[in-house]
């Protein structure tokens, strides 16, 4: 695994509220030399996907035509809270009472200005579902809808009895550029996924291609999943998507993506996840907040082809940071929320302890590439400042389309692993309290505390039964110590590190028994304070 550190010259940072939340392959791929996606249940849906693939390829072969922004001024100026008062009428929900799933459409307004055309698919026929003001309740909104005509929608939401058989819970939203997010049982909304990320943290500037058409296949009365399709378009690319959403204790969104470039894309992000990290136990310098931690996601987890599991705690950095992890044919990666106790967050409103993790599992051979983590400074929790995605090594440019399939599991569960995993990372001053320290070490030193739990650590009799393996690519590690933590039933590792320059330091740590790894590998990038 290679770590690379970069400081991008430009990065778009949309407001968290501006990107509230963004579909799938087939016989037509043969014409482009791409492998077909697995067969779908209905032949008409397969045919639809094939047509969307052909349509996306045709769009990419023409100059990009941005959608017309004809939004009335009364909608354009809506704040986030004002926009939320426009509600789809529940009695107008598609297939309400006729199937386990129902679908509601979402209004345009505020930041959401790109119209999306919606279609239903029944018995092999695609029928436009046209906008009309009577679909929405404006009674709580200071908006007069009398002049609204053929506006289109901003996206859709799917409902399903996720937590109670008698209650139709919201289970998935597709809205805003290519953003989408889903819920598992017991969860509240947190991080989002994207159909694609274009030039995130790149000097060319980030693009936000958008779904311009959404298709929903009518679910059967006993359906366990719902299938949707989408057409994506943007300045640099077009694409066709297939979503199959299966709700449950873990909700799975199976995604098929077929992408075609209009022009070369310097940095293409697949399986992109967007989240928020404000502060936590390793990142509280200068924080004045009654809550111990504030984040939607705690860390980036990766599993490589050679069986190694990597855990990178997230940070709210002082400047934009980008870490690159070489990953050929990744087994999986995701942004995870591992600490689940309310008292670790103390937030009655946001319920951060119930924000889901999202794990991306590629289907098929993705080839050479990199998992990229972008961390953006944020002054508070209102900005999504974390992005993680896989970047293929093969250039993405006209004539070289991509066919990629993957699953995203949205879950509250901890990692399914036979090795010990990392529950928590804390950080503080170097050394022992009260001990005399050289001023240079005091300024340039840092103590890291890592909590390893579960797996081979269950029933551990002595800390000497395992060995701590730790390294730093710069500076030095002065102290390595480890003790059994009776509160977690695992092992606590202490690392005292000292910087010897201004460059960021990449730290690694894992546990071994008889020269065999028995834990995830903790990896952390620390940028020490500049020398005075």
């Amino acid at each position: 695994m290679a770590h690379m550190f970069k400081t991008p010259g430009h990065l778009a940072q949309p407001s968290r509220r501006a990107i509230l939340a963004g579909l799938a392959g087939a016989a037509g791929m043969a014409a482009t030399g791409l492998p077909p996606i697995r067969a779908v249940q209905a032949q008409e849906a397969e045919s639809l996907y094939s047509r969307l693939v052909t349509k996306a390829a045709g769009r990419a072969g023409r100059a990009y035509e941005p959608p017309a922004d004809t939004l009335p001024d009364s909608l354009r100026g809506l704040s986030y809270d004002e926009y939320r008062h426009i509600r789809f009428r529940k009695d107008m929900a598609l297939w309400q009472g006729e199937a386990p799933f129902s679908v509601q459409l979402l209004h345009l307004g505020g930041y959401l200005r790109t119209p999306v055309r919606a279609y239903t698919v029944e018995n092999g026929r695609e029928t436009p579902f046209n906008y009309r003001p009577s679909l929405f309740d404006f009674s709580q909104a200071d908006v007069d809808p009398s002049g609204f005509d053929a506006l289109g929608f901003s996206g859709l939401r799917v409902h399903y009895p996720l937590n109670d058989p008698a209650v139709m819970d919201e289970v998935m939203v597709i809205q805003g550029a290519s953003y989408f997010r889903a819920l598992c049982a017991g969860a509240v909304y947190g991080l989002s996924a994207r159909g694609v990320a274009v030039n995130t943290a790149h000097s060319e500037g980030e693009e936000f291609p958008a779904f311009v058409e959404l298709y929903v296949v009518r679910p059967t009365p006993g359906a366990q999943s719902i299938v949707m399709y989408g057409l994506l378009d943007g300045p640099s690319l077009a694409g066709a998507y297939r979503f199959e959403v299966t709700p449950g204790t873990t909700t799975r969104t199976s995604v098929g993506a077929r992408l075609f470039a209009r022009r070369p894309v310097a940095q293409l992000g697949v399986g992109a996840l967007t989240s928020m990290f404000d502060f936590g136990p390793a990142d509280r310098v200068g924080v004045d907040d009654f809550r111990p931690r504030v984040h939607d996601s705690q860390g980036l987890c990766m599993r490589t082809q050679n069986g190694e599991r990597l855990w990178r705690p997230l940070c709210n950095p002082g400047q934009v940071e980008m870490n690159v992890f070489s990953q050929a044919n990744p087994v999986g990666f995701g942004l995870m929320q591992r600490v689940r106790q309310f008292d670790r967050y103390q937030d009655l409103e946001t319920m951060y302890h119930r924000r889901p993790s999202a794990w991306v599992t590629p289907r098929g051979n993705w080839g050479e590439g990199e998992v990229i983590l972008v961390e953006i400074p944020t002054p508070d929790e209102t900005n999504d400042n974390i992005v993680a995605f896989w970047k293929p090594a093969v250039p993405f440019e006209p004539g070289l389309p991509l066919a990629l399939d993957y699953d995203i599991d949205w879950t509250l569960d901890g990692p399914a692993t036979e090795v010990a995993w990392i529950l928590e990372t804390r950080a503080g001053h170097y050394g022992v309290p009260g001990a005399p320290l050289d001023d240079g070490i005091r300024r340039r030193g840092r103590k890291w505390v890592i909590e390893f739990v579960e797996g081979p650590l269950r029933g551990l009799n002595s800390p000497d039964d395992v060995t701590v393996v730790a390294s730093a690519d710069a500076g030095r590690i002065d102290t390595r110590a480890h003790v059994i933590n009776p509160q977690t039933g695992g092992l606590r590792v202490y690392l005292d590190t000292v910087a010897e320059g201004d460059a960021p330091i990449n730290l690694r740590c894992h546990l071994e028994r008889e020269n065999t790894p028995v834990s995830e590998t903790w990896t952390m990038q620390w940028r020490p304070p500049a020398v005075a």
Side-chain angles (χ1 to χ4, degrees), residues 460-503:
L460 191 68
N461 294 318
S462 168
D464 295 332
D465 290 344
V466 294
T467 302
V468 175
V469 179
S471 63
D473 66 353
R476 67 181 191 269
I477 299 175
D478 279 356
T479 305
R480 297 173 178 84
H482 59 293
V483 297
I484 292 177
N485 184 341
Q487 304 302 315
T488 65
L491 200 73
R492 173 175 287 191
V493 173
Y494 300 90
L495 300 177
D496 281 335
T497 59
V498 178
E500 295 178 343
D502 291 337

Side-chain angles (χ1 to χ4, degrees), residues 174-259:
I174 304 173
Q175 186 183 39
S178 68
Y179 285 85
F180 63 95
R181 51 184 178 169
L183 290 174
C184 60
V188 299
Y189 277 130
L191 77 170
S192 301
R194 280 196 251 179
V196 67
V198 177
N199 290 338
T200 303
H202 196 275
S203 58
E204 292 187 8
E206 186 163 12
E207 292 179 14
F208 294 92
F211 287 116
V212 295
E213 295 178 6
L214 294 175
Y215 300 75
V216 186
V217 180
R218 178 173 184 145
T220 61
Q224 301 296 309
S225 302
I226 187 169
V227 175
M228 296 174 285
Y229 298 86
L231 179 68
L232 183 83
D233 204 7
S236 295
L237 55 78
Y241 284 73
R242 179 183 188 271
F243 285 149
E244 183 173 349
V245 185
T246 308
T249 303
T250 292
T251 290
R252 173 165 291 179
T253 53
S254 295
V255 183
R258 304 296 182 262
L259 298 172

